[in-house]
């Protein structure tokens, strides 16, 4: 941005999204008491705009409207304008997104809200062009109309806000308690069967979203039912995503979603959470099928994250934009001529043929590399051919690095870091890759050092030396999940002890002890017009779903009755919602699967310096056991003094690696005969 341009108040913020708007002629305020007090004292409505830094349509609306003097003149004269980064303030975003969906029947970003100084909304929408077009009303027309209405008949507006407020409050805070239907899994499965795309994989038509937690649910359904069609759906979907342009075949990692049914043309932004959840899905599919390629795809994701999305201190960045040089996807597309220039004629022709890079292209005159038309198996058997392709990919990657890069949102979010830590910890043990475990541990250390207050309260966002915003439910739930995965991967007691401690804090800050369910923001946070309980498992699983899943695992480890009571209430309070639309709550269904079936436990106690311990742990880690609680206690790291009281009963017998197995409500004698242990593990 030119330093000659006048700045607004957003110049003092750390959010990359807010800073993108710091040079707009609009007199923006961040969400603050100052803004609401000014609106009240000047008797003006509030124009609230919510988005995030890598949002394509947010950029479009900024260029068309927020950089426009005509729009700015109206906003500055008749409104108080507030900008919010949805990734920093998911509490604000959640409330007003629910408003938008209630009023218009849909949602998305940029989110546009008009409201009173007491934060009650009366108008909502998403993207608006400057002037009416595309069948959408123009922002200028809307603002002029609202301004006139406010001055002439404000009473009517106030009356409408009360109706909207009461409706949103009711749907956000009140849930119909109902026992979950025993056929809920069958209902969800029938939906997946009916909506499955047999040709390209995925569910439903365009646009297609990854929703990895649906695939995690289906993998568990397959484990319980043995139905081959189930795992074939998961394979077809994850293979289809990889074959298409959703996967970056040059730089690795996955983009946000596909605009078409083939997974060919993505919305090019890359989000940390998508890559974390997809890495878990590919890793679990590798465990379930033993097909090497799925593991390799997971490792490609990790390579991308470690290379491009990791700070020097170990925290993981938030996202990369879809746009560069003002064009969506420009960074990612190729012409045959450019490929030939980089690779030479022979390798260039091979690469173009293999990855469907042709004259005319498949996206605005150029080509997105993909394997959709390629009938070869994604598992390349010819090692020489595989190495040749990889050499070509590496050359093209080095060439692409010279292009103008999309913008990288380098803020570090506690919640999304939790998801990636969990993924890397899982990858570390499944692929026996210490680098992944180290990356996960380093990020967790970052969270505990930079995003934890002296009193232990988690914070939500770190950027440019500033830690800010009291952490939300998602932050706690996702970090506890990460700690449980680190405990299972490393055998280090400190992680499960911290998980238990944060779980108690989560109860204190977020739990509705009377009705059940966890609130989105803590009792010590800013009080908004409603205090919602989020349950919908959308692009990211809800905090309530992940918290429930964690509680089930903690209950298995510590046999804690308090956890069991909360789990039961979780399924009761959200039961009616889950019964009504099971597929909207795939991660919660996954938690319910675990609740119903997680009766088995395997505890391995030994020293990581002992080859027998390492061999047994590796074999366990190579098995797909989603309904078995796995506890590894490494006595090279821990001592009996620092082991949790409820785990002290698990000891090495005769100072040898020892396994404790409980199956179908029956616990067997501890084993320390290596061959008997391996025999028992094979039966799990």
């Amino acid at each position: 941005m030119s330093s000659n341009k006048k700045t607004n108040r957003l110049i003092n913020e750390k959010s990359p999204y807010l800073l993108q708007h710091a040079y707009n002629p609009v007199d923006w305020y961040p969400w603050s008491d100052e803004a609401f007090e000014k609106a009240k004292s000047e008797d003006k409505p509030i124009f609230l705009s919510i988005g995030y830094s890598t949002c394509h349509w947010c950029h479009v609306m900024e260029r068309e409207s927020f950089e426009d003097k005509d729009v700015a003149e109206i906003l500055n004269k008749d409104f108080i304008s507030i900008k919010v980064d949805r990734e920093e303030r998911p509490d604000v975003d959640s409330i007003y997104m629910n408003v938008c969906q209630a009023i218009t029947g849909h949602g998305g970003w940029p989110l546009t809200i008009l409201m009173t100084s007491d934060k009650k909304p009366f108008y909502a929408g998403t993207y608006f062009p400057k002037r009416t077009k595309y069948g959408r009303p123009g922002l200028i027309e809307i603002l002029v109309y609202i301004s006139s209405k406010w001055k002439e008949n404000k009473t009517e507006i106030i009356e409408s806000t009360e109706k909207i407020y009461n409706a949103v409050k009711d749907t956000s805070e009140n849930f119909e308690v109902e026992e979950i239907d025993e056929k809920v899994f069958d209902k969800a499965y029938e939906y997946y069967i009916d909506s499955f795309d047999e040709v390209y994989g995925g569910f439903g038509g365009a646009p297609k979203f990854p929703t990895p937690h649906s695939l995690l649910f289906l993998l568990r359904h397959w484990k319980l039912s043995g139905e081959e069609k189930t795992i074939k759906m998961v394979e077809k979907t994850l293979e289809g995503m990889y074959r298409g342009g959703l996967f970056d075949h040059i730089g690795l990692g996955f983009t946000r979603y596909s605009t078409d049914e083939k997974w060919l043309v993505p919305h090019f932004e890359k989000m940390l959470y998508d890559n974390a959840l997809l890495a878990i899905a590919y890793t679990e599919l590798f465990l379930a099928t033993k097909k090497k390629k799925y593991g390799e795809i997971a490792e490609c994701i990790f390579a991308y994250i470690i290379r491009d999305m990791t700070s020097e201190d170990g925290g993981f960045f938030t996202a990369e934009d879809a746009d560069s040089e003002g064009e969506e996807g420009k960074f990612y597309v190729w012409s045959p001529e450019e490929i030939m220039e980089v690779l030479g004629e022979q390798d260039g022709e091979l690469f173009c043929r293999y990855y469907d890079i042709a004259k005319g292209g498949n996206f605005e005159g150029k080509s997105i590399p993909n394997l959709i038309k390629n009938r070869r198996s994604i598992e390349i058997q010819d090692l020489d051919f595989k190495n040749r392709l990889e050499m070509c990919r590496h050359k093209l990657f080095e060439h692409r690095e010279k292009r103008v890069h999309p913008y990288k949102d380098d803020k570090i979010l506690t919640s999304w870091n939790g998801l990636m830590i969990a993924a890397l910890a899982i990858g570390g043990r499944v692929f026996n890759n210490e680098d992944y475990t180290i990356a996960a541990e380093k990020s967790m250390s970052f969270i505990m050092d930079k995003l934890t207050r002296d009193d232990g309260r988690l914070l939500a966002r770190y950027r440019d030396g500033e830690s800010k915003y009291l952490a939300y439910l998602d932050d706690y739930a996702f970090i506890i999940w990460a700690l449980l995965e680190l405990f299972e991967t490393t055998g280090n007691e400190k992680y499960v002890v911290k998980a238990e401690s944060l779980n108690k804090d989560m109860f204190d800050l977020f739990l509705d002890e009377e009705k059940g369910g966890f609130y989105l923001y803590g009792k010590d946070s800013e009080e908004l017009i409603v205090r919602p309980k989020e349950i919908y498992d959308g692009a990211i699983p809800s905090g309530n779903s992940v918290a429930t899943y964690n509680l089930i695992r903690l209950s298995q480890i510590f046999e804690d009755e308090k956890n069991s009571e909360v789990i039961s209430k979780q399924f009761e309070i959200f039961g009616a919602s889950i019964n009504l639309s099971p597929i909207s709550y795939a991660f919660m269904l996954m938690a319910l699967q675990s609740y119903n079936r997680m009766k088995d436990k395997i505890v391995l106690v030994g020293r990581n310096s002992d080859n027998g311990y390492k061999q047994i742990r590796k074999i366990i880690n190579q098995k797909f056991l989603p309904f078995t609680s796995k506890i590894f206690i490494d006595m090279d790291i821990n001592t009996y003094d620092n082991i949790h009281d409820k785990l002290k009963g698990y000891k090495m017998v005769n100072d040898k690696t020892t396994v404790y197995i409980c199956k179908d409500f029956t616990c067997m004698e501890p084993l320390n005969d290596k061959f008997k242990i391996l025999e028992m593990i094979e039966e799990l």
Side-chain angles (χ1 to χ4, degrees):
M1 286 287 184
S2 169
S3 58
N4 296 324
K5 279 192 176 183
K6 185 181 177 183
T7 60
N8 54 53
R9 291 168 187 79
L10 301 185
I11 197 66
N12 299 315
E13 298 297 308
K14 296 291 187 182
S15 158
Y17 176 64
L18 299 187
L19 288 170
Q20 285 172 357
H21 293 266
Y23 292 86
N24 295 165
V26 176
D27 189 18
W28 291 114
Y29 286 77
W31 182 277
S32 59
D33 291 340
E34 180 189 5
F36 293 108
E37 286 164 6
K38 188 173 178 65
K40 187 173 183 178
S41 66
E42 296 185 4
D43 190 24
K44 290 180 179 179
I46 287 170
F47 178 84
L48 172 65
S49 179
I50 302 175
Y52 57 103
S53 71
T54 59
C55 165
H56 172 70
W57 285 102
C58 298
H59 299 330
V60 173
M61 194 165 175
E62 180 187 19
R63 288 194 295 268
E64 288 182 347
S65 296
F66 301 143
E67 291 179 350
D68 182 82
K69 290 182 180 179
D70 295 336
V71 174
E73 184 179 352
I74 298 169
L75 283 172
N76 296 344
K77 178 173 175 283
D78 295 327
F79 297 84
I80 299 300
S81 302
I82 298 177
K83 261 287 173 195
V84 167
D85 183 337
R86 66 170 290 258
E87 294 166 352
E88 289 190 339
R89 294 301 303 264
D91 51 345
V92 173
D93 177 61
S94 171
I95 291 166
Y96 294 105
M97 184 59 72
N98 287 337
V99 168
C100 183
Q101 290 169 336
I103 292 175
T104 69
H106 65 273
W109 297 276
L111 177 59
T112 304
I113 300 288
L114 289 163
M115 62 187 188
T116 62
S117 60
D118 58 359
K119 305 173 188 174
K120 292 179 180 177
F122 57 85
Y123 190 91
T126 53
Y127 160 78
F128 293 106
K130 177 185 173 183
R131 298 280 186 186
T132 299
K133 61 179 179 179
Y134 314 130
R136 288 176 175 267
L139 184 60
I140 283 183
E141 288 89 340
I142 293 168
L143 295 175
V144 169
Y145 172 77
I146 295 295
S147 175
S148 173
K149 194 85 171 173
W150 182 269
K151 292 168 184 173
E152 295 169 8
N153 195 356
K154 189 170 67 171
T155 304
E156 187 180 328
I157 290 177
I158 300 302
E159 287 173 358
S160 74
T161 66
E162 289 304 315
K163 291 177 184 176
I164 294 168
Y165 165 69
N166 289 330
V168 171
K169 184 175 177 64
D170 183 59
T171 56
S172 296
E173 297 182 355
N174 298 317
F175 291 84
E176 185 180 342
V177 176
E178 187 174 290
E179 188 175 333
I180 295 179
D181 188 337
E182 61 183 17
K183 294 184 178 179
V184 70
F185 298 120
D186 294 334
K187 282 177 66 178
Y189 185 61
E190 284 168 14
Y191 164 81
Y192 289 120
I193 289 287
D194 292 344
S195 62
F196 180 62
D197 183 339
E198 299 275 358
V199 179
Y200 299 108
F203 305 95
K208 276 186 178 172
F209 291 83
T211 54
H213 29 293
S214 290
L215 304 176
L216 300 181
F217 163 74
L218 287 170
L219 281 171
R220 282 152 183 76
H221 186 278
W222 165 78
K223 182 71 174 178
L224 294 171
S225 69
E227 291 181 39
E228 282 303 304
K229 186 167 186 178
T230 309
I231 199 164
K232 293 300 180 189
M233 285 197 296
V234 178
E235 283 200 72
K236 184 73 174 177
T237 299
L238 286 175
E239 182 172 326
M241 289 180 194
Y242 171 74
R243 282 187 177 276
L246 194 76
F247 182 74
D248 179 1
H249 291 275
I250 305 299
L252 314 179
F254 281 87
T255 52
R256 175 74 277 268
Y257 65 85
S258 176
T259 61
D260 62 278
E261 76 282 359
K262 298 179 181 180
W263 305 106
L264 172 61
V265 180
H267 185 48
F268 290 89
E269 64 182 326
K270 291 181 177 178
M271 312 301 289
L272 182 66
Y273 61 79
D274 282 319
N275 283 281
L277 293 165
L278 282 168
I280 295 171
Y282 280 102
T283 301
E284 287 200 351
L285 185 58
F286 163 72
L287 286 177
T289 64
K290 304 304 179 193
K291 293 181 181 178
K292 187 179 178 184
K293 185 60 188 180
Y294 300 128
E296 290 177 341
I297 296 169
E299 295 200 277
C300 283
I301 296 172
F302 294 140
Y304 159 67
I305 293 299
I306 291 169
R307 184 194 68 215
D308 289 349
M309 299 297 285
T310 307
S311 72
E312 288 184 8
D313 295 326
F316 301 119
F317 300 136
T318 296
E320 291 190 294
D321 208 330
D323 299 10
S324 57
E325 300 181 78
E327 293 182 29
E328 185 178 11
K330 183 175 182 179
F331 181 74
Y332 295 100
V333 295
W334 301 81
S335 66
E337 293 76 17
E338 192 174 11
I339 298 288
M340 300 291 184
E341 183 183 332
V342 176
L343 298 181
E345 189 173 341
Q346 194 172 13
D347 281 347
E349 284 182 0
L350 169 77
F351 197 88
C352 286
R353 189 166 59 250
Y354 195 83
Y355 284 101
D356 186 29
I357 298 167
K359 287 184 178 179
N362 53 38
F363 177 74
E364 298 180 358
K366 290 199 173 183
S367 292
I368 302 164
N370 73 91
L371 299 170
I372 296 170
K373 296 177 184 176
N374 191 327
R375 296 302 174 194
R376 288 174 180 251
S377 166
I378 59 171
E379 182 97 55
I380 301 173
Q381 302 297 334
D382 184 333
L383 189 59
D384 289 339
F385 182 68
K386 186 176 182 179
N387 289 337
R388 186 178 174 190
L389 278 178
E390 176 57 22
M391 180 191 67
C392 292
R393 184 200 70 79
H394 183 71
K395 284 183 179 178
L396 291 170
F397 172 77
E398 292 295 324
H399 178 78
R400 196 180 76 174
E401 283 293 281
K402 299 170 187 173
R403 296 178 181 175
V404 176
H405 279 244
Y407 177 79
K408 185 176 296 182
D409 188 325
D410 61 356
K411 69 176 178 290
I412 295 167
L413 298 171
T414 300
S415 57
W416 298 8
N417 270 249
L419 294 176
M420 186 52 73
I421 294 167
L424 281 160
I426 293 167
R429 64 175 178 263
V430 171
F431 303 118
N432 198 27
N433 188 319
E434 193 175 345
D435 288 343
Y436 300 160
T437 305
I438 290 170
E441 290 192 288
K442 190 174 180 183
S443 177
M444 184 59 76
S445 295
F446 180 92
I447 299 297
M448 295 304 148
D449 180 37
K450 300 291 188 183
L451 281 155
T452 307
R453 277 193 331 204
D454 291 342
D455 62 357
R457 180 65 160 97
L458 288 181
L459 300 173
R461 185 270 286 152
Y462 176 89
R463 185 174 186 271
D464 195 20
E466 180 188 70
S467 302
K468 194 173 181 182
Y469 304 111
L470 293 176
Y472 309 97
L473 174 62
D474 291 12
D475 298 293
Y476 277 81
F478 297 174
I479 286 296
I480 292 167
W481 182 12
L483 287 162
L484 291 174
E485 298 301 349
L486 278 172
F487 173 56
E488 188 171 323
T489 296
T490 65
N492 193 327
E493 279 278 305
K494 72 177 183 179
Y495 292 121
V496 75
V497 169
K498 186 64 178 178
E500 185 186 37
S501 172
L502 286 179
N503 195 63
K504 288 176 180 174
D505 292 344
M506 186 179 73
F507 279 18
D508 180 55
L509 291 164
F510 303 98
L511 181 62
D512 182 343
E513 299 226 25
E514 181 186 349
K515 296 179 181 177
F518 294 94
Y519 292 109
L520 176 58
Y521 62 84
K523 66 183 184 183
D524 56 348
S525 300
E526 177 188 354
E527 187 175 349
L528 302 173
I529 59 170
V530 295
R531 195 178 178 200
K533 295 172 186 172
E534 287 285 350
I535 179 63
Y536 175 62
D537 295 324
I540 305 177
S542 73
N544 269 289
S545 296
V546 176
T548 307
Y549 178 68
N550 294 337
L551 288 170
I552 293 162
R553 293 178 68 176
L554 284 165
S555 293
Q556 278 290 92
I557 295 169
F558 295 127
E559 299 170 8
D560 190 328
E561 284 304 312
K562 171 69 171 173
N563 286 348
S564 299
E565 292 169 16
V566 174
I567 293 164
S568 296
K569 265 193 172 181
Q570 288 288 98
F571 293 129
E572 285 174 9
I573 185 178
F574 300 121
S577 300
I578 295 168
N579 287 334
L580 186 64
S581 178
I583 54 94
S584 299
Y585 312 102
F587 203 96
M588 186 61 95
L589 288 183
M590 195 176 103
L592 184 58
Q593 286 171 321
S594 296
Y595 184 65
N596 291 340
R597 299 303 296 253
M598 192 175 270
K599 312 299 182 187
D600 299 345
K601 181 187 288 189
I602 180 165
V603 182
L604 176 67
V605 190
R607 295 188 177 89
N608 197 49
S609 54
D610 174 58
N611 286 332
Y613 174 85
K614 282 195 288 191
Q615 182 187 359
I616 294 165
R617 191 168 78 168
K618 185 177 179 182
I619 290 169
I620 295 170
N621 286 338
Q622 289 292 307
K623 294 178 74 69
F624 183 52
L625 300 170
F627 305 117
T628 299
S629 179
K630 300 178 287 295
I631 301 171
F632 303 121
I633 302 174
D634 180 2
M635 297 309 298
D636 280 342
I637 301 172
N638 306 292
T639 65
Y640 283 115
D641 290 336
N642 72 9
I643 287 179
H644 193 285
D645 287 343
K646 291 187 178 179
L647 296 178
K648 282 189 173 174
Y650 300 112
K651 298 181 180 180
M652 295 171 66
V653 176
N654 298 325
D655 202 36
K656 293 170 69 176
T657 295
T658 304
V659 168
Y660 297 78
I661 296 177
C662 297
K663 190 171 175 62
D664 297 325
F665 302 100
T666 303
C667 293
M668 304 166 194
E669 287 288 323
L671 294 172
N672 61 11
D673 181 295
K674 177 181 167 183
F675 296 103
K676 285 184 180 178
I677 291 171
L678 296 176
E679 189 177 309
M680 286 295 300
I681 290 170
E682 281 305 310
E683 295 176 9
L684 290 173

